Amino acid sequence: MQNITAEELKARLDAGEKVNLVDVREPNEHAEFNIGGQLVPLGNIRNFQVDELENLKDAEVIVYCRSGNRSGQAAMLLETMGFSNVNNLAGGMMRWQELYS
C-alpha cells in the first residue's frame, strides 16, 4: 500500500485527471461530505463484497475515509484480493477539509 497526500490528490483532480476514488466510510458520512468517491464501506470490503470494484484490479485505486485509518485497512485488504495499485489518502477527509474547506 502506498499513501497519497491530500495536496497530491487535489492537484491531480484540478488537472482534470480521472482517478478511481473509493470512499470506505459509512453511508451517513458519505452523504455529509465526500469528494466524489464511490461508496464501498469498509464492512463490505472486509466481507469481500467488492464486485463493483472488480474492473479496477489492475488500475490505480485511491481509498479514503475520515482519518486514513479505515482506508489503510481497506487498502491492505484490497491488495490481498489482487488489487495491484492501491493508494491510501493520508489524513483522510479530516486533512482534506483542513486544507480545502
Side-chain angles (χ1 to χ4, degrees):
M1 170 189 76
Q2 298 177 326
N3 284 310
I4 185 170
T5 66
E7 295 90 340
E8 291 168 327
L9 178 56
K10 179 90 163 70
R12 289 174 63 181
L13 291 172
D14 288 349
E17 190 175 331
K18 184 195 178 310
V19 294
N20 300 302
L21 295 171
V22 177
D23 184 346
V24 302
R25 300 174 300 160
E26 293 302 312
N28 62 311
E29 294 173 286
H30 180 81
E32 212 172 272
F33 174 80
N34 74 79
I35 56 172
Q38 179 178 353
L39 178 64
V40 183
L42 178 58
N44 292 24
I45 295 170
R46 283 188 179 136
N47 292 324
F48 299 94
Q49 297 171 334
V50 294
D51 290 346
E52 64 268 43
L53 301 178
E54 284 296 318
N55 63 325
L56 300 176
K57 275 197 166 175
D58 296 320
E60 180 188 32
V61 176
I62 300 171
V63 292
Y64 66 91
C65 66
R66 181 180 159 275
S67 67
N69 183 17
R70 284 176 284 176
S71 54
Q73 293 175 47
M76 289 188 285
L77 286 166
L78 289 170
E79 285 178 344
T80 66
M81 291 179 218
F83 287 79
S84 60
N85 187 4
V86 184
N87 286 290
N88 177 34
L89 179 61
M93 288 296 89
M94 289 172 59
R95 179 69 177 148
W96 184 276
Q97 288 184 300
E98 180 184 305
L99 292 171
Y100 305 115
S101 288

Coordinates of all heavy atoms in Angstrom, one line a residue:
M1 N 0.9 -1.2 0.0 CA 0.0 0.0 0.0 C 0.9 1.2 0.0 O 1.9 1.3 0.7 CB -0.9 0.0 1.2 CG -1.6 1.3 1.5 SD -2.5 1.3 3.1 CE -1.1 1.6 4.2
Q2 N 0.5 2.2 -0.8 CA 1.2 3.5 -0.8 C 0.2 4.5 -0.3 O -1.0 4.3 -0.3 CB 1.6 3.8 -2.3 CG 2.5 2.8 -2.9 CD 2.8 3.2 -4.3 OE1 2.0 3.7 -5.0 NE2 4.1 2.9 -4.7
N3 N 0.8 5.6 0.1 CA 0.0 6.8 0.5 C 0.0 7.9 -0.5 O 1.0 8.0 -1.2 CB 0.5 7.3 1.9 CG 0.1 6.4 3.0 OD1 -1.1 6.1 3.2 ND2 1.0 6.1 3.9
I4 N -1.0 8.6 -0.6 CA -1.1 9.8 -1.4 C -1.6 11.0 -0.5 O -2.4 10.8 0.4 CB -2.0 9.7 -2.6 CG1 -2.0 10.9 -3.5 CG2 -3.4 9.4 -2.2 CD1 -2.6 10.7 -4.9
T5 N -1.0 12.1 -0.6 CA -1.4 13.3 0.2 C -2.6 14.0 -0.4 O -2.9 13.8 -1.6 CB -0.2 14.3 0.4 OG1 0.0 14.9 -0.9 CG2 1.0 13.7 0.9
A6 N -3.3 14.7 0.5 CA -4.4 15.5 0.0 C -4.0 16.5 -1.1 O -4.7 16.7 -2.1 CB -5.1 16.2 1.2
E7 N -2.8 17.0 -0.9 CA -2.3 18.0 -1.8 C -2.0 17.4 -3.2 O -2.3 17.9 -4.3 CB -0.9 18.6 -1.3 CG -1.1 19.5 -0.1 CD -1.0 18.7 1.2 OE1 -1.1 17.5 1.3 OE2 -0.7 19.4 2.3
E8 N -1.4 16.2 -3.2 CA -1.2 15.4 -4.4 C -2.5 15.1 -5.1 O -2.6 15.3 -6.4 CB -0.4 14.2 -4.2 CG 1.1 14.4 -3.7 CD 1.7 13.1 -3.2 OE1 1.0 12.3 -2.6 OE2 2.9 13.0 -3.4
L9 N -3.4 14.6 -4.4 CA -4.7 14.2 -5.0 C -5.4 15.5 -5.5 O -6.0 15.4 -6.7 CB -5.6 13.5 -4.0 CG -7.0 13.1 -4.5 CD1 -6.9 12.2 -5.7 CD2 -7.8 12.4 -3.4
K10 N -5.5 16.5 -4.8 CA -6.1 17.8 -5.2 C -5.5 18.3 -6.5 O -6.2 18.7 -7.5 CB -6.1 18.8 -4.1 CG -6.7 20.2 -4.5 CD -8.1 20.2 -4.1 CE -8.7 21.6 -4.1 NZ -8.9 22.3 -5.3
A11 N -4.2 18.2 -6.6 CA -3.5 18.7 -7.8 C -3.9 17.8 -9.0 O -4.2 18.3 -10.1 CB -2.0 18.6 -7.6
R12 N -4.0 16.5 -8.8 CA -4.4 15.6 -9.9 C -5.9 15.9 -10.3 O -6.2 15.9 -11.5 CB -4.2 14.2 -9.5 CG -2.7 13.8 -9.4 CD -2.5 12.4 -8.9 NE -3.1 11.4 -9.7 CZ -3.0 10.1 -9.5 NH1 -2.4 9.7 -8.4 NH2 -3.5 9.2 -10.3
L13 N -6.8 16.1 -9.4 CA -8.2 16.4 -9.7 C -8.3 17.7 -10.4 O -9.0 17.8 -11.4 CB -9.0 16.3 -8.4 CG -9.2 15.0 -7.7 CD1 -9.9 15.1 -6.4 CD2 -10.0 14.0 -8.6
D14 N -7.6 18.7 -9.9 CA -7.6 20.0 -10.5 C -7.1 20.0 -11.9 O -7.5 20.8 -12.8 CB -6.8 21.0 -9.7 CG -7.5 21.4 -8.4 OD1 -8.7 21.1 -8.2 OD2 -6.9 22.1 -7.5
A15 N -6.2 19.1 -12.2 CA -5.6 19.0 -13.6 C -6.6 18.2 -14.5 O -6.3 18.0 -15.7 CB -4.3 18.2 -13.5
G16 N -7.7 17.7 -13.9 CA -8.7 17.0 -14.7 C -8.4 15.5 -14.9 O -9.0 14.9 -15.7
E17 N -7.5 15.0 -14.2 CA -7.1 13.6 -14.3 C -8.3 12.8 -13.7 O -8.9 13.1 -12.7 CB -5.9 13.3 -13.4 CG -5.3 12.0 -13.6 CD -3.9 11.8 -12.9 OE1 -3.2 12.8 -12.7 OE2 -3.7 10.7 -12.5
K18 N -8.6 11.7 -14.4 CA -9.6 10.8 -14.0 C -9.0 9.8 -13.0 O -8.0 9.1 -13.3 CB -10.2 10.0 -15.1 CG -11.4 9.1 -14.7 CD -11.8 8.1 -15.7 CE -12.9 7.2 -15.2 NZ -12.7 6.6 -13.9
V19 N -9.4 9.8 -11.7 CA -8.9 8.9 -10.7 C -10.0 8.1 -10.2 O -11.2 8.5 -10.2 CB -8.2 9.7 -9.6 CG1 -7.0 10.4 -10.1 CG2 -9.2 10.7 -8.9
N20 N -9.7 6.9 -9.7 CA -10.7 6.0 -9.2 C -10.7 6.1 -7.7 O -9.8 5.6 -7.0 CB -10.3 4.5 -9.6 CG -10.3 4.3 -11.1 OD1 -11.3 4.6 -11.7 ND2 -9.2 3.9 -11.6
L21 N -11.7 6.9 -7.2 CA -11.8 7.2 -5.7 C -12.8 6.2 -5.1 O -13.9 6.0 -5.7 CB -12.3 8.6 -5.5 CG -11.3 9.7 -5.9 CD1 -12.0 11.1 -5.9 CD2 -10.1 9.7 -5.1
V22 N -12.4 5.7 -4.0 CA -13.3 4.8 -3.2 C -13.4 5.3 -1.8 O -12.4 5.3 -1.1 CB -12.8 3.3 -3.3 CG1 -13.8 2.4 -2.5 CG2 -12.8 2.8 -4.7
D23 N -14.6 5.6 -1.4 CA -14.9 6.1 0.0 C -15.3 4.9 0.8 O -16.3 4.2 0.5 CB -16.1 7.1 -0.1 CG -16.4 7.8 1.2 OD1 -15.9 7.3 2.3 OD2 -17.1 8.8 1.2
V24 N -14.5 4.6 1.8 CA -14.8 3.4 2.7 C -15.5 3.7 4.0 O -15.6 2.9 4.8 CB -13.5 2.6 2.9 CG1 -12.9 2.1 1.6 CG2 -12.5 3.3 3.8
R25 N -16.1 4.9 4.1 CA -16.8 5.3 5.2 C -18.2 4.8 5.2 O -18.6 4.1 4.2 CB -16.8 6.9 5.3 CG -15.4 7.5 5.4 CD -15.5 9.0 5.4 NE -16.1 9.5 4.1 CZ -16.6 10.7 3.9 NH1 -16.6 11.6 4.9 NH2 -17.1 11.0 2.8
E26 N -19.0 5.1 6.2 CA -20.4 4.7 6.2 C -21.3 5.6 5.4 O -20.9 6.8 5.1 CB -20.9 4.7 7.7 CG -20.2 3.6 8.5 CD -20.4 2.2 8.0 OE1 -21.5 1.8 7.6 OE2 -19.4 1.5 7.9
P27 N -22.4 5.2 4.9 CA -23.3 6.0 4.1 C -23.6 7.4 4.6 O -23.6 8.3 3.9 CB -24.6 5.1 3.9 CG -24.1 3.7 4.0 CD -23.0 3.8 5.1
N28 N -23.8 7.5 6.0 CA -24.2 8.8 6.5 C -23.0 9.7 6.4 O -23.1 10.9 6.2 CB -24.7 8.7 8.0 CG -23.6 8.1 8.9 OD1 -23.0 7.0 8.6 ND2 -23.4 8.7 10.0
E29 N -21.8 9.2 6.6 CA -20.6 10.1 6.5 C -20.4 10.5 5.0 O -20.0 11.7 4.8 CB -19.3 9.3 6.9 CG -19.3 8.9 8.3 CD -18.1 8.0 8.6 OE1 -18.1 6.8 8.3 OE2 -17.1 8.5 9.2
H30 N -20.6 9.6 4.1 CA -20.5 9.9 2.7 C -21.5 11.0 2.3 O -21.2 11.9 1.5 CB -20.7 8.6 1.9 CG -20.6 8.8 0.4 ND1 -19.5 8.8 -0.3 CD2 -21.6 8.9 -0.6 CE1 -19.7 9.0 -1.6 NE2 -21.0 9.0 -1.8
A31 N -22.7 10.9 2.8 CA -23.8 11.8 2.5 C -23.4 13.2 3.0 O -23.8 14.2 2.4 CB -25.1 11.4 3.0
E32 N -22.8 13.3 4.1 CA -22.4 14.5 4.8 C -21.4 15.3 4.0 O -21.5 16.5 3.8 CB -21.8 14.2 6.2 CG -22.1 15.2 7.2 CD -21.6 14.6 8.6 OE1 -22.4 13.9 9.2 OE2 -20.4 14.8 8.9
F33 N -20.4 14.6 3.5 CA -19.3 15.3 2.7 C -18.5 14.2 2.0 O -18.1 13.2 2.6 CB -18.4 16.1 3.7 CG -17.2 16.7 2.9 CD1 -17.3 17.8 2.2 CD2 -15.9 16.1 3.0 CE1 -16.3 18.4 1.5 CE2 -14.9 16.6 2.3 CZ -15.0 17.8 1.5
N34 N -18.3 14.4 0.7 CA -17.4 13.5 0.0 C -16.8 14.2 -1.2 O -17.2 15.3 -1.5 CB -18.1 12.2 -0.4 CG -19.1 12.4 -1.5 OD1 -18.6 12.5 -2.7 ND2 -20.4 12.6 -1.2
I35 N -15.7 13.6 -1.7 CA -15.0 14.2 -2.8 C -15.3 13.5 -4.1 O -14.5 13.5 -5.1 CB -13.5 14.4 -2.5 CG1 -12.9 13.0 -2.2 CG2 -13.3 15.4 -1.4 CD1 -11.4 13.0 -2.1
G36 N -16.4 12.8 -4.2 CA -16.8 12.1 -5.4 C -16.4 10.7 -5.5 O -16.6 10.1 -6.6
G37 N -16.0 10.1 -4.4 CA -15.6 8.7 -4.5 C -16.8 7.8 -4.5 O -17.9 8.1 -4.0
Q38 N -16.6 6.6 -5.0 CA -17.7 5.6 -5.0 C -17.7 5.0 -3.6 O -16.7 4.6 -3.0 CB -17.3 4.5 -6.0 CG -18.2 3.3 -6.1 CD -17.8 2.3 -7.1 OE1 -16.9 2.5 -7.9 NE2 -18.5 1.2 -7.1
L39 N -18.9 4.9 -3.0 CA -19.1 4.4 -1.7 C -19.0 2.9 -1.6 O -19.9 2.2 -2.2 CB -20.4 4.9 -1.1 CG -20.7 4.5 0.3 CD1 -19.7 5.0 1.3 CD2 -22.1 4.9 0.7
V40 N -18.0 2.4 -0.9 CA -17.9 0.9 -0.6 C -17.4 0.9 0.8 O -16.2 0.9 1.1 CB -16.9 0.2 -1.6 CG1 -16.9 -1.3 -1.3 CG2 -17.3 0.5 -3.0
P41 N -18.4 0.8 1.8 CA -18.0 0.8 3.2 C -17.0 -0.3 3.6 O -17.0 -1.4 3.0 CB -19.3 0.6 4.0 CG -20.3 1.1 3.0 CD -19.8 0.7 1.6
L42 N -16.1 0.0 4.5 CA -15.1 -1.0 5.0 C -15.7 -2.3 5.3 O -15.1 -3.4 5.0 CB -14.3 -0.4 6.2 CG -13.2 -1.3 6.7 CD1 -12.2 -1.7 5.7 CD2 -12.6 -0.7 7.9
G43 N -16.9 -2.4 5.9 CA -17.5 -3.6 6.2 C -17.7 -4.5 5.0 O -17.6 -5.7 5.1
N44 N -18.1 -3.9 3.9 CA -18.3 -4.6 2.6 C -16.9 -5.2 2.2 O -16.9 -6.4 1.7 CB -18.8 -3.7 1.5 CG -20.2 -3.3 1.8 OD1 -20.7 -3.2 2.9 ND2 -20.9 -2.9 0.8
I45 N -15.9 -4.4 2.3 CA -14.6 -4.9 1.9 C -14.1 -6.0 2.8 O -13.6 -7.0 2.3 CB -13.6 -3.7 1.8 CG1 -14.0 -2.7 0.8 CG2 -12.1 -4.2 1.6 CD1 -13.2 -1.4 0.8
R46 N -14.3 -5.9 4.1 CA -14.0 -7.0 5.0 C -14.7 -8.3 4.6 O -14.2 -9.4 4.9 CB -14.3 -6.6 6.4 CG -13.3 -5.6 7.0 CD -13.6 -5.4 8.5 NE -12.7 -4.6 9.1 CZ -13.0 -3.6 10.0 NH1 -14.3 -3.4 10.3 NH2 -12.1 -2.8 10.5
N47 N -15.9 -8.1 4.1 CA -16.7 -9.3 3.7 C -16.5 -9.7 2.3 O -17.3 -10.5 1.7 CB -18.2 -9.0 4.0 CG -18.5 -8.9 5.5 OD1 -17.9 -9.7 6.3 ND2 -19.4 -8.1 5.9
F48 N -15.5 -9.1 1.6 CA -15.2 -9.4 0.3 C -16.3 -9.1 -0.7 O -16.5 -9.7 -1.8 CB -14.7 -10.9 0.1 CG -13.5 -11.2 0.9 CD1 -13.6 -11.8 2.2 CD2 -12.3 -11.0 0.4 CE1 -12.5 -12.1 2.9 CE2 -11.1 -11.3 1.1 CZ -11.2 -11.8 2.4
Q49 N -17.1 -8.1 -0.4 CA -18.2 -7.7 -1.2 C -17.8 -6.5 -2.0 O -18.1 -5.3 -1.8 CB -19.4 -7.3 -0.4 CG -20.0 -8.5 0.4 CD -21.1 -8.0 1.4 OE1 -21.1 -6.9 1.9 NE2 -22.0 -9.0 1.7
V50 N -16.9 -6.8 -3.0 CA -16.3 -5.7 -3.8 C -16.6 -5.9 -5.3 O -15.8 -5.5 -6.1 CB -14.8 -5.6 -3.5 CG1 -14.6 -5.1 -2.1 CG2 -14.1 -6.9 -3.8
D51 N -17.7 -6.5 -5.7 CA -18.0 -6.8 -7.1 C -17.9 -5.5 -7.9 O -17.4 -5.6 -9.1 CB -19.3 -7.5 -7.3 CG -19.4 -8.9 -6.7 OD1 -18.3 -9.5 -6.5 OD2 -20.5 -9.4 -6.6
E52 N -18.4 -4.4 -7.4 CA -18.4 -3.2 -8.1 C -17.0 -2.6 -8.4 O -16.8 -1.7 -9.2 CB -19.3 -2.1 -7.4 CG -18.8 -1.7 -6.1 CD -19.3 -2.5 -4.9 OE1 -19.4 -3.7 -5.0 OE2 -19.7 -1.8 -3.9
L53 N -16.0 -3.2 -7.8 CA -14.6 -2.7 -8.0 C -13.8 -3.7 -8.8 O -12.6 -3.4 -9.1 CB -13.9 -2.5 -6.6 CG -14.6 -1.5 -5.6 CD1 -13.8 -1.5 -4.3 CD2 -14.7 -0.1 -6.3
E54 N -14.3 -4.8 -9.1 CA -13.5 -5.9 -9.8 C -12.8 -5.4 -11.1 O -11.7 -5.8 -11.4 CB -14.4 -7.1 -10.2 CG -14.8 -8.0 -9.0 CD -13.6 -8.7 -8.4 OE1 -12.7 -9.1 -9.1 OE2 -13.5 -8.7 -7.2
N55 N -13.5 -4.5 -11.8 CA -12.9 -4.0 -13.1 C -11.7 -3.0 -12.8 O -11.0 -2.6 -13.7 CB -13.9 -3.2 -13.9 CG -14.5 -2.0 -13.2 OD1 -14.7 -2.0 -12.0 ND2 -14.8 -1.0 -14.0
L56 N -11.4 -2.7 -11.5 CA -10.3 -1.8 -11.2 C -9.1 -2.5 -10.6 O -8.1 -1.9 -10.2 CB -10.8 -0.8 -10.1 CG -11.9 0.1 -10.6 CD1 -12.4 1.0 -9.4 CD2 -11.6 0.9 -11.8
K57 N -9.1 -3.9 -10.7 CA -8.0 -4.6 -10.1 C -6.6 -4.2 -10.6 O -5.6 -4.3 -9.9 CB -8.2 -6.1 -10.3 CG -9.1 -6.7 -9.2 CD -9.0 -8.2 -9.2 CE -9.6 -8.7 -7.9 NZ -9.7 -10.1 -7.8
D58 N -6.5 -3.9 -11.9 CA -5.2 -3.5 -12.5 C -5.1 -2.0 -12.6 O -4.1 -1.5 -13.2 CB -5.1 -4.2 -13.9 CG -5.1 -5.7 -13.7 OD1 -4.4 -6.2 -12.8 OD2 -5.7 -6.4 -14.6
A59 N -6.0 -1.2 -12.1 CA -6.0 0.2 -12.2 C -5.6 0.8 -10.9 O -5.6 0.1 -9.8 CB -7.3 0.8 -12.6
E60 N -5.2 2.1 -10.9 CA -4.9 2.7 -9.6 C -6.3 3.0 -8.9 O -7.2 3.5 -9.5 CB -4.2 4.1 -9.8 CG -4.0 4.8 -8.5 CD -3.4 6.2 -8.7 OE1 -3.8 6.9 -9.7 OE2 -2.7 6.7 -7.8
V61 N -6.3 2.7 -7.6 CA -7.5 2.9 -6.8 C -7.0 3.8 -5.6 O -6.0 3.4 -5.0 CB -8.1 1.6 -6.3 CG1 -9.3 1.9 -5.3 CG2 -8.6 0.8 -7.5
I62 N -7.7 4.9 -5.3 CA -7.4 5.7 -4.2 C -8.5 5.6 -3.2 O -9.7 5.9 -3.5 CB -7.2 7.2 -4.6 CG1 -6.0 7.3 -5.6 CG2 -6.9 8.0 -3.3 CD1 -5.8 8.6 -6.2
V63 N -8.2 5.0 -2.0 CA -9.2 4.9 -1.0 C -9.1 6.0 0.1 O -8.0 6.4 0.4 CB -9.1 3.5 -0.3 CG1 -9.5 2.4 -1.3 CG2 -7.8 3.2 0.2
Y64 N -10.3 6.4 0.6 CA -10.2 7.4 1.7 C -11.3 7.1 2.7 O -12.3 6.5 2.4 CB -10.3 8.8 1.1 CG -11.6 9.2 0.4 CD1 -12.7 9.7 1.1 CD2 -11.8 9.0 -0.9 CE1 -13.9 10.1 0.5 CE2 -13.0 9.3 -1.6 CZ -14.0 9.9 -0.8 OH -15.2 10.3 -1.5
C65 N -11.1 7.7 3.9 CA -12.1 7.6 5.0 C -12.0 8.9 5.7 O -11.6 9.9 5.2 CB -11.8 6.4 5.9 SG -10.3 6.5 6.8
R66 N -12.4 8.9 7.0 CA -12.4 10.1 7.8 C -11.0 10.6 8.1 O -10.6 11.7 7.9 CB -13.2 9.9 9.1 CG -13.3 11.1 10.0 CD -14.1 10.8 11.2 NE -13.8 11.7 12.3 CZ -12.8 11.6 13.2 NH1 -12.0 10.5 13.1 NH2 -12.6 12.4 14.1
S67 N -10.1 9.6 8.6 CA -8.8 10.0 9.1 C -7.7 9.3 8.4 O -6.5 9.6 8.6 CB -8.7 9.7 10.6 OG -8.8 8.3 10.8
G68 N -8.0 8.3 7.6 CA -6.9 7.5 6.9 C -6.7 6.1 7.6 O -6.0 5.2 7.0
N69 N -7.4 5.8 8.7 CA -7.3 4.6 9.4 C -8.0 3.5 8.7 O -7.5 2.4 8.3 CB -7.7 4.7 10.8 CG -7.5 3.4 11.6 OD1 -6.8 2.5 11.2 ND2 -8.2 3.3 12.8
R70 N -9.3 3.7 8.5 CA -10.2 2.6 7.8 C -9.7 2.4 6.4 O -9.7 1.3 5.9 CB -11.6 3.0 7.8 CG -12.3 2.8 9.2 CD -13.7 3.3 9.2 NE -13.8 4.8 9.2 CZ -14.8 5.5 9.2 NH1 -16.0 4.9 9.0 NH2 -14.8 6.8 9.3
S71 N -9.3 3.5 5.7 CA -8.9 3.4 4.3 C -7.6 2.6 4.3 O -7.3 1.9 3.3 CB -8.8 4.7 3.6 OG -8.0 5.6 4.3
G72 N -6.7 2.7 5.3 CA -5.5 2.0 5.3 C -5.8 0.5 5.4 O -5.2 -0.4 4.7
Q73 N -6.8 0.1 6.3 CA -7.2 -1.2 6.4 C -7.8 -1.7 5.1 O -7.5 -2.9 4.6 CB -8.3 -1.4 7.5 CG -7.7 -1.1 8.9 CD -8.9 -1.2 9.9 OE1 -9.7 -2.1 9.9 NE2 -9.0 -0.2 10.8
A74 N -8.6 -0.9 4.5 CA -9.3 -1.3 3.2 C -8.2 -1.5 2.1 O -8.3 -2.5 1.3 CB -10.2 -0.2 2.8
A75 N -7.2 -0.6 2.1 CA -6.1 -0.8 1.1 C -5.4 -2.1 1.2 O -5.2 -2.8 0.2 CB -5.2 0.4 1.2
M76 N -5.1 -2.5 2.4 CA -4.4 -3.7 2.7 C -5.3 -4.9 2.3 O -4.8 -5.9 1.6 CB -3.9 -3.9 4.1 CG -2.8 -2.9 4.4 SD -2.0 -3.2 6.0 CE -3.3 -2.4 7.1
L77 N -6.6 -4.9 2.6 CA -7.5 -5.9 2.2 C -7.6 -6.0 0.7 O -7.6 -7.1 0.1 CB -8.9 -5.7 2.8 CG -8.9 -6.0 4.3 CD1 -10.2 -5.4 4.9 CD2 -8.9 -7.5 4.6
L78 N -7.7 -4.9 0.0 CA -7.9 -4.9 -1.4 C -6.6 -5.5 -2.1 O -6.7 -6.3 -3.0 CB -8.1 -3.5 -2.0 CG -9.5 -2.9 -1.7 CD1 -9.6 -1.5 -2.0 CD2 -10.6 -3.7 -2.4
E79 N -5.5 -5.2 -1.5 CA -4.2 -5.8 -2.0 C -4.2 -7.3 -1.9 O -3.8 -8.0 -2.8 CB -3.0 -5.2 -1.4 CG -2.7 -3.8 -1.8 CD -1.5 -3.1 -1.2 OE1 -1.1 -3.6 -0.1 OE2 -1.1 -2.1 -1.7
T80 N -4.8 -7.8 -0.8 CA -4.8 -9.3 -0.6 C -5.8 -9.9 -1.6 O -5.7 -11.1 -1.9 CB -5.2 -9.7 0.8 OG1 -6.5 -9.3 1.1 CG2 -4.2 -9.1 1.8
M81 N -6.7 -9.1 -2.1 CA -7.7 -9.6 -3.1 C -7.2 -9.5 -4.5 O -8.0 -9.7 -5.5 CB -9.0 -8.8 -2.9 CG -9.8 -9.1 -1.7 SD -11.3 -8.0 -1.6 CE -11.4 -7.6 0.1
G82 N -6.0 -9.0 -4.7 CA -5.4 -8.9 -6.0 C -5.4 -7.6 -6.7 O -5.0 -7.5 -7.8
F83 N -5.8 -6.5 -5.9 CA -5.7 -5.2 -6.5 C -4.2 -4.8 -6.5 O -3.5 -4.9 -5.5 CB -6.6 -4.2 -5.7 CG -8.0 -4.4 -5.9 CD1 -8.7 -5.4 -5.3 CD2 -8.7 -3.5 -6.8 CE1 -10.1 -5.6 -5.5 CE2 -10.1 -3.7 -7.0 CZ -10.8 -4.7 -6.4
S84 N -3.8 -4.3 -7.6 CA -2.3 -4.1 -7.8 C -1.8 -2.7 -7.5 O -0.6 -2.5 -7.4 CB -1.9 -4.5 -9.2 OG -2.6 -3.7 -10.2
N85 N -2.7 -1.7 -7.4 CA -2.2 -0.3 -7.3 C -3.1 0.5 -6.4 O -3.9 1.2 -6.9 CB -2.1 0.3 -8.7 CG -1.4 1.7 -8.7 OD1 -1.0 2.1 -7.6 ND2 -1.3 2.3 -9.8
V86 N -3.0 0.2 -5.1 CA -3.9 0.9 -4.1 C -3.2 1.9 -3.4 O -2.1 1.7 -2.8 CB -4.5 -0.2 -3.2 CG1 -5.5 0.5 -2.2 CG2 -5.2 -1.3 -3.9
N87 N -3.8 3.1 -3.3 CA -3.2 4.2 -2.6 C -4.2 4.7 -1.5 O -5.4 4.7 -1.7 CB -3.0 5.5 -3.5 CG -1.8 5.2 -4.4 OD1 -0.7 5.2 -3.9 ND2 -2.0 5.1 -5.6
N88 N -3.7 5.0 -0.3 CA -4.5 5.5 0.8 C -4.3 7.0 0.9 O -3.2 7.5 0.9 CB -4.0 4.8 2.1 CG -4.7 5.2 3.3 OD1 -5.9 5.5 3.3 ND2 -4.0 5.3 4.4
L89 N -5.4 7.7 1.0 CA -5.4 9.1 1.2 C -4.9 9.4 2.7 O -5.7 9.2 3.6 CB -6.7 9.8 0.9 CG -6.8 11.3 1.1 CD1 -5.8 12.0 0.2 CD2 -8.2 11.8 0.8
A90 N -3.7 9.9 2.8 CA -3.2 10.2 4.2 C -4.0 11.3 4.8 O -4.2 12.3 4.2 CB -1.7 10.5 4.0
G91 N -4.4 11.0 6.0 CA -5.2 12.0 6.8 C -6.6 12.1 6.4 O -7.4 12.8 7.1
G92 N -7.1 11.4 5.4 CA -8.5 11.3 5.0 C -9.2 12.6 4.8 O -8.6 13.6 4.5
M93 N -10.5 12.6 5.1 CA -11.3 13.7 4.9 C -11.0 14.8 5.9 O -11.2 16.0 5.6 CB -12.8 13.4 4.9 CG -13.3 12.6 3.7 SD -13.2 13.5 2.2 CE -11.6 13.2 1.6
M94 N -10.5 14.5 7.0 CA -10.1 15.5 8.0 C -9.1 16.4 7.4 O -9.1 17.6 7.5 CB -9.7 14.8 9.3 CG -10.8 14.2 10.1 SD -10.2 13.2 11.5 CE -9.4 14.4 12.5
R95 N -8.0 15.8 6.8 CA -7.0 16.6 6.2 C -7.5 17.3 5.0 O -7.1 18.5 4.8 CB -5.8 15.6 5.8 CG -4.7 16.3 5.2 CD -3.9 17.2 6.1 NE -2.7 17.8 5.5 CZ -2.2 19.0 5.8 NH1 -2.8 19.7 6.7 NH2 -1.2 19.4 5.1
W96 N -8.3 16.7 4.2 CA -8.8 17.4 3.0 C -9.6 18.6 3.5 O -9.4 19.7 2.9 CB -9.8 16.4 2.3 CG -10.3 17.0 1.0 CD1 -11.3 17.8 0.8 CD2 -9.7 16.8 -0.3 NE1 -11.5 18.1 -0.5 CE2 -10.5 17.5 -1.2 CE3 -8.6 16.1 -0.8 CZ2 -10.2 17.6 -2.6 CZ3 -8.4 16.1 -2.2 CH2 -9.2 16.9 -3.0
Q97 N -10.5 18.5 4.5 CA -11.3 19.6 4.9 C -10.4 20.7 5.6 O -10.7 21.9 5.4 CB -12.4 19.2 5.8 CG -13.5 18.4 5.0 CD -14.7 18.0 5.9 OE1 -14.5 17.3 6.8 NE2 -15.8 18.5 5.5
E98 N -9.4 20.3 6.3 CA -8.5 21.2 6.9 C -7.8 22.1 5.8 O -7.7 23.3 6.0 CB -7.4 20.4 7.6 CG -6.4 21.2 8.3 CD -5.3 20.3 9.0 OE1 -5.7 19.3 9.7 OE2 -4.1 20.4 8.7
L99 N -7.5 21.5 4.7 CA -6.8 22.3 3.6 C -7.8 23.0 2.7 O -7.4 24.1 2.2 CB -6.0 21.3 2.8 CG -4.8 20.7 3.5 CD1 -4.2 19.6 2.6 CD2 -3.7 21.8 3.8
Y100 N -8.9 22.4 2.4 CA -9.8 22.9 1.3 C -11.2 23.4 1.7 O -12.0 23.6 0.8 CB -9.8 21.9 0.2 CG -8.4 21.5 -0.2 CD1 -7.9 20.2 0.0 CD2 -7.5 22.4 -0.8 CE1 -6.6 19.8 -0.4 CE2 -6.2 22.1 -1.2 CZ -5.8 20.8 -1.0 OH -4.5 20.5 -1.3
S101 N -11.5 23.5 2.9 CA -12.8 23.9 3.3 C -12.8 25.3 3.8 O -11.8 25.8 4.4 CB -13.5 23.0 4.3 OG -13.8 21.8 3.7

